[in-house]
Amino acid sequence: MMRWKRKDLLTLEELSKEEIEFILETAKSFKEVSTRDVKKVPTLRGKTIVNLFFEPSTRTRTSFELAAKRLSADVLDFSIGGSSVSKGESPVDTARNIEAMKVDCFIVRHSVAGVPKLIAKEVKTAVINAGDDSHEHPTQGLLDLFTIREKKGKIKGLKIAIIGDIRHSRVARSNIWGLTKLGASVILCGPPTLIPLGMEKMGAEVTFSLKEAIKKSDILYFLRVQRERQKETFFPSIQEYVHLYGMDLESLKEGKKDLLIMHPGPINRGIEIKSEVAESTSSLILEQVTNGIAVRMAVLYLLVGKRSKND
Ligand code: CP
């Protein structure tokens, strides 16, 4: 049995296949807690988890809060509005001051890549990266791996196409690391301007044809077109993007019979994916959200509950 040693969870790039599998196995045992009438176990009683979100979030923030509460931890939900961040206090100083109040874990989301790592270096408290710019979103990657394994019974040997705005996607990067480490093949698909050169070095195949990705894949993983991160125009118009890369029911029929659809949310309905696909029986989108709680319970348990202070 593996022993968890890491203080922080910052990327899937740095985790070994064994560490990823260990988190997924641990999450399996937590999934059942959320189906109970009383959705609570005493695992992290007396611990304090701090949500330190410098960027907006619906799923990740609430998922971590519910995961912590279901483990009986106390949760401090730090809001930027009304904090001294507006007076110029740095993220590291913010974290160090909250650490001085004796807390056990920071969940950090920031619009600059590397900020969670910077904080992790400066504090003794555990740090979980909840998304840093276009770099990584490791717990999203883990919940996606968990969902794929639950649905398909395996990850090794599967072909997963990640489609859309790869350039600005931390979710794509975490998934590429996680999927390839666990033996899946990854196809990246989208307009050439949204797939940075050199992505093949991460072990992925690249295609600009959605038709080809649909035909070859076991799972199509759609990404949101991140218009707020696009400082220049990467495609002529939304209409053209929808025409070339938008997913509808007709296109779904061109794939394998058991082709599955995933998306990390939030969805731009009618852009990267039509509602009829998002709501179809092939869609795992809400199951991903459900599984996020079990995966985050596992990560909190391993980092806060399991690791001894002396490790
Ligand atoms: N999937 C995801 O990270 O969603 P949020 O931005 O709502 O947290």
Side-chain angles (χ1 to χ4, degrees):
M1 184 71 166
M2 202 184 141
R3 210 161 150 253
W4 189 261
K5 294 230 163 138
R6 290 181 188 271
K7 172 175 95 66
D8 312 298
L9 174 62
L10 300 173
T11 64
L12 290 196
E13 180 180 7
E14 69 192 355
L15 296 192
S16 66
K17 172 177 179 274
E18 290 69 30
E19 286 173 303
I20 293 174
E21 282 174 342
F22 187 54
I23 297 173
L24 300 183
E25 275 309 305
T26 310
K28 244 172 147 176
S29 57
F30 281 115
K31 183 153 180 185
E32 177 269 331
V33 175
S34 294
T35 65
R36 294 183 196 171
D37 215 22
V38 178
K39 301 172 182 57
K40 231 177 180 42
V41 287
T43 318
L44 294 188
R45 196 163 50 199
K47 304 286 186 188
T48 307
I49 313 297
V50 183
N51 260 345
L52 205 53
F53 278 59
F54 297 88
E55 244 197 4
S57 164
T58 296
R59 279 143 292 269
T60 313
R61 186 178 190 136
T62 50
S63 181
F64 266 115
E65 180 164 349
L66 285 174
K69 285 180 171 168
R70 286 179 190 175
L71 292 168
S72 301
D74 295 312
V75 180
L76 176 68
D77 205 11
F78 175 84
S79 316
I80 305 305
S83 78
S84 289
V85 170
S86 59
K87 298 177 201 163
E89 188 167 55
S90 73
V92 168
D93 277 334
T94 302
R96 289 184 64 185
N97 277 270
I98 297 175
E99 181 178 53
M101 299 178 212
K102 309 296 176 203
V103 299
D104 299 285
C105 184
F106 289 115
I107 322 283
V108 182
R109 173 171 286 192
H110 203 281
S111 58
V112 176
V115 167
K117 185 173 180 176
L118 197 66
I119 293 175
K121 270 204 209 148
E122 297 294 328
V123 298
K124 290 195 176 71
T125 307
V127 174
I128 299 171
N129 179 4
D132 56 336
D133 192 38
S134 308
H135 177 220
E136 277 226 35
H137 190 351
T139 57
Q140 179 69 48
L142 289 166
L143 74 89
D144 293 332
L145 293 172
F146 184 91
T147 306
I148 293 169
R149 209 170 68 162
E150 190 178 64
K151 277 288 154 189
K152 294 283 192 188
K154 61 173 188 179
I155 290 176
K156 195 170 178 187
L158 293 177
K159 241 185 207 317
I160 289 106
I162 304 178
I163 299 155
D165 187 355
I166 314 287
R167 177 178 291 275
H168 299 97
S169 179
R170 51 198 177 209
V171 173
R173 280 167 189 77
S174 288
N175 265 293
I176 297 168
W177 287 119
L179 286 164
T180 52
K181 281 179 194 213
L182 268 51
S185 317
V186 177
I187 305 174
L188 301 178
C189 173
T193 47
L194 288 178
I195 304 182
L197 289 174
M199 291 302 281
E200 293 93 337
K201 285 195 196 126
M202 290 179 79
E205 182 187 330
V206 171
T207 177
F208 306 126
S209 158
L210 179 60
K211 266 187 192 310
E212 185 187 338
I214 292 172
K215 281 207 169 9
K216 283 185 170 175
S217 303
D218 299 293
I219 295 174
L220 303 176
Y221 193 110
F222 287 90
L223 297 171
R224 185 171 66 90
V225 176
Q226 299 194 35
R227 281 179 285 182
E228 77 280 12
R229 285 191 211 276
Q230 295 181 6
K231 294 179 182 71
E232 48 192 291
T233 310
F234 288 94
F235 44 84
S237 68
I238 286 290
Q239 287 80 357
E240 181 161 327
Y241 185 89
V242 173
H243 177 65
L244 291 173
Y245 297 104
M247 187 69 186
D248 56 23
L249 271 186
E250 275 310 299
S251 311
L252 190 60
K253 287 180 198 150
E254 289 169 22
K256 294 182 183 172
K257 228 170 52 214
D258 55 354
L259 181 62
L260 294 173
I261 302 291
M262 298 176 77
H263 193 303
I267 301 174
N268 289 313
R269 285 177 189 266
I271 300 183
E272 67 268 4
I273 189 168
K274 280 206 170 155
S275 285
E276 62 197 27
V277 178
E279 311 297 342
S280 73
T281 51
S282 304
S283 168
L284 301 180
I285 296 171
L286 290 180
E287 286 181 58
Q288 289 170 258
V289 178
T290 302
N291 288 333
I293 304 251
V295 165
R296 289 173 175 127
M297 285 172 85
V299 170
L300 288 171
Y301 164 67
L302 292 173
L303 264 61
V304 180
K306 196 89 168 76
R307 231 186 102 250
S308 106
K309 291 268 182 215
N310 303 322
D311 280 346

